[in-house]
Amino acid sequence: MPPWEVLLPVAGLALLDTLSPATLGISLYVLLSGARSVARPLFTFLGTVALFYFVLGCALVLGLGVLLETLGGLADSAPVGWAMAVLGGGLLVYSFLMPTKPREQRRPASFRTVAMIGLGLATGLLEGGTAFPYFGAIGIMTTAELPAATWLPLLAAYNAVMVLPPVLLYLGHRALGERLRPRLERWRTRVESGSREAMGWIIGLVGFLLLINGLARTGAVAALEGSGVITFLNGL
């Protein structure tokens, strides 16, 4: 089992990733399509997205691990900590400056299996560049130098959590049927209109977590605690 200082931030980032506007928006569109069977297209799409991110995550973990090993085992060093802190601070600042104009959500042209696989791959490719919670979790796992027997199931669990909300929505749709439709319609409208706003919150929270994690590796947090600054701030 990974240590708590790795498990807790990774779990928090996985929960943030459940708010992915693209995955939620497409899932709600499928559920509200009125198709006779929504299970096959929905789970084909979600399975493709989860598998894409799992393979991407494995490649990133292995690549970062080789890089850190080449640099001489700097995984838990102050330079890496400062790099994480700078990246986190940059993301935190960007979250306040990024444009929030909503963009049009992609929708499936058909619900055939091949089409849903293609849509899942397209979602992964187009959204992968802004998957900040995922990148943050991979960075934390890599710098912690977890063995493959630990980070592989942790990465798989992360991706399972990431697609959990659409699965729960499907179960609610099966149980309640048309009674849930008005609520799903409202959720879809909110996802489509507020996707950029939600992404801003996600980027800001990821930046904060990376900033704190990076500062902890540099010893800055311990230094502040030793000086009594943290105690003073907590008492305010």
Side-chain angles (χ1 to χ4, degrees), residues 68 75-76 80 84 138-146 213 217:
L68 292 173
D76 203 29
V80 172
M84 291 179 65
I138 288 170
I140 291 171
M141 285 188 282
T142 303
T143 54
E145 297 184 309
L146 300 176
N213 197 277
R217 293 177 186 279

Side-chain angles (χ1 to χ4, degrees), residues 87-103:
L87 176 61
L91 290 176
L92 191 58
V93 171
Y94 177 70
S95 70
F96 291 100
L97 302 177
M98 67 177 289
T100 56
K101 183 179 178 180
R103 58 185 178 184

Side-chain angles (χ1 to χ4, degrees), residues 30-112:
V30 173
L31 290 174
L32 293 168
S33 65
R36 177 175 297 181
S37 174
V38 297
R40 178 185 52 79
L42 178 64
F43 285 102
T44 299
F45 167 71
L46 294 177
T48 303
V49 170
L51 183 60
F52 175 89
Y53 277 107
F54 179 74
V55 173
L56 175 64
C58 289
L60 289 173
V61 171
L62 293 173
L64 285 175
V66 170
L67 177 61
L68 292 173
E69 187 177 339
T70 303
L71 293 175
L74 295 177
D76 203 29
S77 65
V80 172
W82 283 117
M84 291 179 65
V86 170
L87 176 61
L91 290 176
L92 191 58
V93 171
Y94 177 70
S95 70
F96 291 100
L97 302 177
M98 67 177 289
T100 56
K101 183 179 178 180
R103 58 185 178 184
E104 186 179 353
Q105 295 286 327
R106 291 179 299 280
R107 290 172 175 165
S110 75
F111 290 154
R112 292 182 301 173

Side-chain angles (χ1 to χ4, degrees), residues 28 31-32 166-188:
L28 286 169
L31 290 174
L32 293 168
V167 174
L168 295 177
L169 288 175
Y170 167 76
L171 294 176
H173 181 266
R174 283 293 304 270
L176 300 175
E178 288 300 312
R179 287 176 291 175
L180 191 61
R181 174 173 285 273
R183 188 177 296 273
L184 292 180
E185 291 278 9
R186 290 195 297 271
W187 287 345
R188 185 176 70 175

